[in-house]
Amino acid sequence: MRKITIAIDGHSSTGKSTVAKQLADYLGYVYVDSGAMYRAVTLYAMRNGFIDANHFDSRMLIDDLKNISLEFRKNNLGKDEIFLNGENIEKQIRTMEVSEFVSPIATVLEVRKKLVQQQQSMGKEGGVVMDGRDIGTVVFPKAELKIFMTATAPVRAQRRFRELISKGIEVSYEEVLENVTERDQMDTSRAQSPLKIADDAIIVDNSEMNPEDQFHMILQLAKDRIAGRI
Ligand code: DC
């Protein structure tokens, strides 16, 4: 059976990664969380003092990019985890602090170039589901299936709030809502590869959709594409 490329873009906290993982598992495809790669570069920049609440030295980060090596490795449950220069940083990249600094990092052209190149090479054989912001527009403009996921900001903030609390991270709903709205703003207005809907993407607003129905709907689209029906 032919292996297609599936691009899942959309706003933050719309459940992109959940659907992408389910699809990859079901189809036996590789799943790539491109946001984890931007988060990993952000953690590197924070650790090296290139970014904090008061400043961001993009030049220093750019000069140091050659020293950043990212890879995904499967843990013993078969789940992909991200490694930065050989260190497992899967947990460290999910904090609110990283979420706050990731948007400015993701505006840097050189960062995007490096990550996009790696993403394209990971998906060059097809049989990949990748989620992010620019997958259907920049990374795989020829992807056979492009989904753009969205939901209202309060719905997304509520989901993210619950997720953080369940992980034991102390945060208020208001803080999360502010972060979600700020990231939307930065992601859609940046000059380099802003979050935008590809012309041939299918828009899925899941504010009021249950995850199972959503999965089956997208899976059917994928099956149609694989069979060459659409
Ligand atoms: O998917 P996420 O929330 O983990 O992504 C974190 C940030 O990385 C997001 O605010 C924007 C950026 N990002 C991007 O610019 N391009 C991508 N392909 C994926 C993420």
Side-chain angles (χ1 to χ4, degrees), residues 34-35 38-39 102-103 106 112 132-135 183 187 190:
S34 70
Y38 289 91
R39 287 172 179 272
V102 65
S103 286
R112 301 204 70 86
R133 304 294 187 286
D134 61 342
I135 311 304
R183 278 208 284 160
D187 293 347
R190 68 173 173 237

Side-chain angles (χ1 to χ4, degrees), residues 56 58 61-62 103-113 192:
F56 172 31
S58 56
L61 173 63
I62 293 165
S103 286
I105 298 284
T107 62
V108 180
L109 178 64
E110 289 79 357
V111 170
R112 301 204 70 86
K113 268 196 187 154
Q192 304 304 332

Side-chain angles (χ1 to χ4, degrees), residues 121-134:
S121 118
M122 286 190 281
K124 65 179 188 297
E125 312 287 338
V128 66
V129 186
M130 194 173 293
D131 74 345
R133 304 294 187 286
D134 61 342

